Amino acid sequence: MIQRDVDVAVVGGGAAGLAAAIRARREGVEKVLILERGEELGGVLHQCIHTGFGLHYFKENLTGPEYVSRFINIVHELGIEYKVDTMVLKVSSEKRITAINSVDGLMSISAKSIVFAVGCRERTRGSLSIPGTRPAGIFTAGTAQRLMEIEGSMPGRRLMILGSGDVGLIMARRFVMEGAKVEAVLEIMPYPGGLSRNIVQCLDDFNIPLLLGYTVTLIHGKDRLEGVTVAKIDRYRRLMPGTEKFIGCDTLILSVGLIPENELTKDMGVVLDPLIGGPMVNERMETSIEGVFACGNVVHVHDLVDHVTEAGETAGRSAARYVLGALPPFRRRLLVKPGANVRYVVPQIISGKESVSLFFRVKRPARYVTVKAGDEVSEFRQIVRPPELASINLPGGIHGKDGRIVVSVRRRSKS
Amino acid sequence: MREKTRELTCVVCPMSCRARVVFEGGEVIAVKGVGCPRGEAYARGEVMAPVRDFFTTVRVRGGKFSMLPVRTTMPVPKERVMDIAVELSKITVEAPVKLGQVIMRDILNLNVDVIATRALDVV
Ligand code: SF4
């Protein structure tokens, strides 16, 4: 078995991992190694052929492949080592990585620091438990995207899309552009899951109906999908009798959410945030195990790749400093807790010393964000809406008496 | 001439204001409901001459993958999106392809080029 020693091992070669590796090298770390499961660096961005990437980070409107190519080129220029088609099987709490590929065979890699940038996966039919038969023709949106944009095969001719997340909306447009018919997009919630930009440009532009408060209740078809029964759902997520109708289709696309991928981190003993399923991190993107960092969609699912890149850079910088002995111990710890109308907040732990960006998702639309640290209360005027990831810049010098700060949002100002 | 109103959602920022564009004889005379000047500009453009970013994939021969992602160098008129998609569905590109390589010059005389958005090596 091959035995290796590296300074920083980056698990995952997508947007987060590339940014982390580049930053670690630029901070002066020699031995950086990227381990990627897919056949090339870049992750899911290669199949996100639409524009809208890089508006914040590059101040340019790029497609996914263009955005990620910039980072892949830097990895090559800096001569950062990477292994593709490589599966990480296990990571021990002593930072020993067991990985395998068809060239090197089984490898044991001992790392001084590890950055987890493994991203997330899609929720499937199984996790929704839709009753009915089990025919071919049911795909997650990301799988359909890969089939079309990389492998060049159409998933179907007459499609239904369940879930109005951005990937589903973007795929609805692509199906129509490629000559297929999209019968409708169904959303169980009373409001759309994706950005309004995508509702307008992906659905309205192509006259694709969006049925809010609807879901699929039955799957029909023996070998291939023949149709679905849809029904209206009330506020309490109960099926409304008499609203069922059959819609014929040969393909059902699921765009029903993403879950951080955390088998490796959990196995290793990293503490996860039960609200998200990703590792708890501090503002350096460090997990509960010293020298182990996490960034990108493995921590929480982002809306914008630009923020994933920034988180990757933070993790890469921290990992480099840890290896170089330049990362001072994290002394003061304030727990950041979600308060009224907030689903989660990242990072979950801050020092309160320096200014920090807090990212959070809310349960309902609001205009004011309050941060409560003991008796210190700061209010930020900011529009926040449920499908969108919100952020505020919290200034430094926060103490918080009981070791915690609480982020909540409200419609009206308190003052 | 009679006034007409069109409602649309501003997509420039997450506020998603409902804009009401009032026009008369093909001229915009007022934009109501927007929260800021950026929204006004968007709503005017959207009513008078809507444009869209264009991107798709085209077939490749001899490449590492079967499809090549492409885009137009500039946004195109909204009503021509399907025409461009159909035009590009007819072609097959030869690998290798460089990032930014022109795949089709001045497509449908729209004054925009179609370029590759990634590099694609031969198998
Ligand atoms: S009008 Fe201005 S404030 Fe309203 S959505 Fe558009 S950009 Fe945002």
Side-chain angles (χ1 to χ4, degrees), chain B residues 10-17 33-40 42:
Chain B
C10 176
V11 298
V12 179
C13 91
M15 276 286 289
S16 308
C17 295
V34 288
C36 76
R38 283 193 301 164
E40 171 157 0
Y42 168 81

Side-chain angles (χ1 to χ4, degrees), chain B residues 61-106:
Chain B
R61 196 173 303 131
K64 198 173 157 198
F65 301 108
S66 332
M67 302 305 281
L68 174 75
V70 298
R71 69 180 294 177
T72 54
T73 43
M74 298 283 285
V76 298
K78 179 180 144 185
E79 77 275 5
R80 301 304 302 274
V81 165
M82 283 309 289
D83 301 339
I84 306 173
V86 168
E87 191 67 13
L88 286 170
S89 72
K90 298 175 191 160
I91 66 163
T92 300
V93 178
E94 294 289 334
V97 181
K98 286 204 194 80
L99 173 63
Q101 182 178 321
V102 176
I103 299 302
M104 202 183 272
R105 209 169 280 290
D106 194 14

Side-chain angles (χ1 to χ4, degrees), chain A residues 39-40 46 49-51 61-63 65-66 69 73 146 148-152 173-174 176-178 196-197 200-201 205-206 367 383 385 388, chain B residues 9-11 13-16 42 46 51-57 64-71 78 81-82 85 99 115-119:
Chain A
E39 69 261 80
E40 61 176 341
H46 284 301
I49 63 150
H50 51 282
T51 50
N61 186 18
L62 303 173
T63 62
E66 289 170 312
S69 295
N73 290 344
R146 182 175 164 94
M148 262 175 84
E149 316 294 30
I150 294 185
E151 295 174 17
R173 164 175 59 191
R174 291 288 300 130
V176 176
M177 279 175 69
E178 296 296 331
S196 41
R197 178 185 192 81
V200 173
Q201 300 195 347
D205 276 11
F206 296 91
R367 281 170 183 271
I383 315 285
R385 291 153 56 91
E388 285 155 20
Chain B
T9 311
C10 176
V11 298
C13 91
M15 276 286 289
S16 308
Y42 168 81
E46 193 61 16
V51 292
R52 293 290 182 267
D53 289 344
F54 182 91
F55 37 80
T56 186
T57 44
K64 198 173 157 198
F65 301 108
S66 332
M67 302 305 281
L68 174 75
V70 298
R71 69 180 294 177
K78 179 180 144 185
V81 165
M82 283 309 289
L99 173 63
I115 57 168
T117 58
R118 69 164 289 168

